[in-house]
């Protein structure tokens, strides 16, 4: 999964960025050799002793995440993509879009679609949308789907066309500021799924989208949501609108394997008479789905939290991280995270419901974790280079589903052993307090 986040004060064009967390999922299965003690020696028919047998192979050393379940063994379910589209009430528009793979139609939504008329998530800090515009949450959610999920840049090798997104976002929020501030955000976030405008996510996977139909939409809508609250960072009195949506894209890997790419976008916009604030988060990853969290094997419960780790909190979610991460953590309205050397821990928040099939990153190992206050928690981790588009970089993703939000925790480390140490410590320290959530 690739996760990028960026926020800027539009009118002052002061940019604030959070470290990029990268995680990409491909299928893989760890194989551990079975132990054999050999058969007891039995005298032969002539009474002589048989030749000594070769000694048994040495026991296979314990592998990281050895006690977790295997992704390949999960009882997965196929999403009913047509049913999801029917709920979203989307249809092809007359607008044709093109990228290096072909052409398709941009989406449009019915007036009573949950995209154009979202039900707002109730927050502890509820408020009115900026300037009293009750239609703003729907405008922002619609723009996030059209300009980010369905961006013509989504499957490009480079992010050079990122400036195409800003005009529609500006039109949606009614902001008269210089759109170059938004351009900088989408350059950093990477509409092609590449961190900091790097190589596109599809190229990292060595994959292509399934062939487009020129008169049809190329993706499907999953969960979506919106909320209004007071901004929690820097400008606490500013009303803030959040919008989030999930898009699904059938893709084909170079070996002919078909997978489902999931792209999740989160946009936030706040404004007052003095200033305006906008933020964007984008996740990309290949997923499998299970009926519910109980379909994922229970975590073995062997983790512990090192004594010197420090607690960080975000929107009611609490976890502990090594001191260097806590010291360097940078908090935005919907994220908190840090990169220390070649290690990353990042927490992303999306105002998405926890209903429906549960997504699990398509890597090697997975486990279900019991966390106080959460609806469910599912973690997935790579244990081999074959499971990652990052080559030999080990990675893990922890999904914490709560009554009003989804939190995705991305963890990257230089070795699988170090990744296990970080992930087990984070899992052992997780808790969620809805009463303190924004």
């Amino acid at each position: 999964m690739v996760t990028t986040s960026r926020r800027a004060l539009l009118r002052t064009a002061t940019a604030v960025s959070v470290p990029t967390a990268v995680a990409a999922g491909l299928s893989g299965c760890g194989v551990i050799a079975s132990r054999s003690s050999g058969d007891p020696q039995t005298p032969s028919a002539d009474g002589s002793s048989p030749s000594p047998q070769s000694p048994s192979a040495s026991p296979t050393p314990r592998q990281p995440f050895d006690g977790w379940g295997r992704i390949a063994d999960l009882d997965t379910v196929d999403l009913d993509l047509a049913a999801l589209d029917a709920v979203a009430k989307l249809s092809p528009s007359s607008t044709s879009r093109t990228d290096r793979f072909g052409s398709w139609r941009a989406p449009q939504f019915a007036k009573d679609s949950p995209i154009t008329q979202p039900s707002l998530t109730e927050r502890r800090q509820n408020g009115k949308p900026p300037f009293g515009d009750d239609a703003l949450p729907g405008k922002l959610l619609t723009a996030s789907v059209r300009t980010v999920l369905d961006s013509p840049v989504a499957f490009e090798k480079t992010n050079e066309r990122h400036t195409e997104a800003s005009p529609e976002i500006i039109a949606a929020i009614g902001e008269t500021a210089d759109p170059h501030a938004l351009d900088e955000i989408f350059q950093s976030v990477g509409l092609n799924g590449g961190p900091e405008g790097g190589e596109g996510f599809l190229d990292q996977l060595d994959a292509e989208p399934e062939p487009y139909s020129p008169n049809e939409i190329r993706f499907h809508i999953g969960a979506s949501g919106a909320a209004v609250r007071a901004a929690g960072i820097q400008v606490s009195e500013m009303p803030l609108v959040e919008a989030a949506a999930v898009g699904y894209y059938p893709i084909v890997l170079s070996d002919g394997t078909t997978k489902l790419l999931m792209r999740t976008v989160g946009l936030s916009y706040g404004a007052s008479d003095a200033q305006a604030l906008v933020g964007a988060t984008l996740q990309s990853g290949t997923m499998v789905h299970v009926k519910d969290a109980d379909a994922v094997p229970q975590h073995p419960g062997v983790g512990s939290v090192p004594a010197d780790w420090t607690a960080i909190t975000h929107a009611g979610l609490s976890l502990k991280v090594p001191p260097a991460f806590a010291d360097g953590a940078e908090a935005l309205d919907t994220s908190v995270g840090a990169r220390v050397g070649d290690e990353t821990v990042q927490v992303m928040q999306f105002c998405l419901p926890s209903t429906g099939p549960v997504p699990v990153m398509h890597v090697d190992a997975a486990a279900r974790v019991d966390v106080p206050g959460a609806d469910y928690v599912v973690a997935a981790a790579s244990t081999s280079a074959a499971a990652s588009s990052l080559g030999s970089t080990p990675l893990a993703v922890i999904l914490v589903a709560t009554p009003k939000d989804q939190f995705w925790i991305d963890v990257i480390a230089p070795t699988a052993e170090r990744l296990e140490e970080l992930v087990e410590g984070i899992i052992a320290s997780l808790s969620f307090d809805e009463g303190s959530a924004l």
Side-chain angles (χ1 to χ4, degrees):
M1 180 169 304
V2 168
T3 304
T4 49
S5 180
R6 183 70 181 267
R7 189 183 73 161
L9 289 166
L10 290 182
R11 293 199 180 101
T12 61
T14 300
V16 182
S17 64
V18 70
T20 301
V22 182
L26 290 175
S27 61
C29 182
V31 179
I32 298 177
S34 60
R35 293 190 230 178
S36 174
S37 60
D39 296 325
Q41 293 188 352
T42 304
S44 61
D46 61 4
S48 62
S49 298
S51 301
Q53 292 184 343
S54 300
S56 301
S58 300
T60 302
R62 181 191 177 279
Q63 300 297 314
F65 303 101
D66 201 12
W68 290 33
R70 301 294 101 181
I71 296 289
D73 296 333
L74 295 181
D75 186 11
T76 60
V77 297
D78 293 328
L79 296 182
D80 189 338
L81 299 175
L84 291 175
D85 291 344
V87 170
K89 298 184 178 181
L90 82 165
S91 60
S93 70
S94 59
T95 302
S96 180
R97 288 178 168 168
T98 304
D99 68 5
R100 57 178 168 156
F101 298 108
S103 61
W104 70 98
R105 293 295 180 90
Q108 63 182 2
F109 301 93
K111 291 183 178 179
D112 59 347
S113 165
I115 301 296
T116 56
Q117 299 288 336
S119 298
L120 298 182
T121 299
E122 294 183 0
R123 297 291 191 197
R124 180 171 58 87
Q125 297 177 347
N126 285 326
K128 294 289 290 181
F131 310 119
D133 184 358
D134 291 333
L136 186 56
K139 293 177 182 177
L140 190 65
L141 184 54
T142 301
S144 69
V145 172
R146 287 177 51 87
T147 64
V148 181
L149 290 186
D150 194 47
S151 170
V153 190
F155 295 153
E156 296 288 51
K157 186 177 182 65
T158 71
N159 197 43
E160 291 178 357
R161 298 170 60 187
H162 68 276
T163 57
E164 296 178 10
S166 299
E168 188 164 349
I169 299 292
I170 291 289
I173 63 181
E175 177 59 51
T176 59
D178 185 347
H180 290 305
L182 267 175
D183 291 344
E184 292 179 3
I185 289 174
F186 289 122
Q187 181 179 21
S188 176
V189 166
L191 293 175
N192 65 346
E196 299 295 329
E199 184 181 41
F201 189 75
L202 224 56
D203 290 277
Q204 296 177 39
L205 293 180
D206 193 15
E208 295 185 357
E210 287 192 344
Y212 305 149
S213 172
N215 298 315
E216 299 295 335
I217 302 167
R218 69 170 181 177
F219 76 113
H220 307 272
I221 290 288
S224 63
V228 180
R229 62 175 173 84
I233 306 295
Q234 291 186 353
V235 279
S236 59
E237 299 304 317
M238 178 186 292
L240 185 77
V241 176
E242 298 172 331
V246 176
Y248 294 109
Y249 313 74
I251 62 173
V252 182
L253 304 185
S254 58
D255 64 359
T257 303
T258 299
K259 293 189 180 296
L260 194 63
L261 171 65
M262 186 176 85
R263 282 166 55 93
T264 304
V265 59
L267 291 183
S268 59
Y269 169 68
S272 64
D273 293 335
Q275 55 191 349
L277 182 74
V278 68
T281 302
L282 177 64
Q283 283 188 330
S284 301
T286 55
M287 298 286 167
V288 297
H289 289 76
V290 293
K291 181 179 180 180
D292 52 41
D294 289 341
V296 180
Q298 179 71 35
H299 184 270
V302 297
S304 61
V305 184
D308 64 337
W309 282 25
T310 305
I312 59 174
T313 60
H314 178 76
L317 183 69
S318 177
L319 63 151
K320 289 188 176 182
V321 293
F325 286 97
D327 294 341
E330 186 173 6
L332 302 183
D333 287 302
T334 56
S335 67
V336 60
R339 176 186 294 154
V340 178
D342 50 6
E343 299 178 356
T344 297
V345 175
Q346 185 171 7
V347 181
M348 310 306 301
Q349 174 194 5
F350 296 96
C351 54
L352 292 171
S354 58
T355 56
V358 175
V360 183
M361 187 173 68
H362 199 166
V363 280
D364 290 326
R368 182 181 78 256
V369 185
D370 294 328
V371 172
D375 289 345
Y376 64 81
V377 176
V378 171
S382 66
T383 60
S384 69
S388 170
S389 71
L390 301 177
S392 59
T393 303
L395 53 97
V397 174
I398 306 166
L399 168 58
V400 182
T402 72
K404 297 178 181 179
D405 295 284
Q406 290 183 8
F407 297 87
W408 291 81
I409 306 172
D410 294 349
V411 186
I412 300 174
T415 66
E417 291 76 14
R418 176 57 174 167
L419 180 70
E420 182 181 40
E421 179 184 349
L422 290 172
V423 169
E424 292 291 2
I426 290 171
I427 285 176
S429 68
L430 280 174
S431 66
F432 178 75
D433 180 7
E434 186 176 3
S436 62
L438 294 176

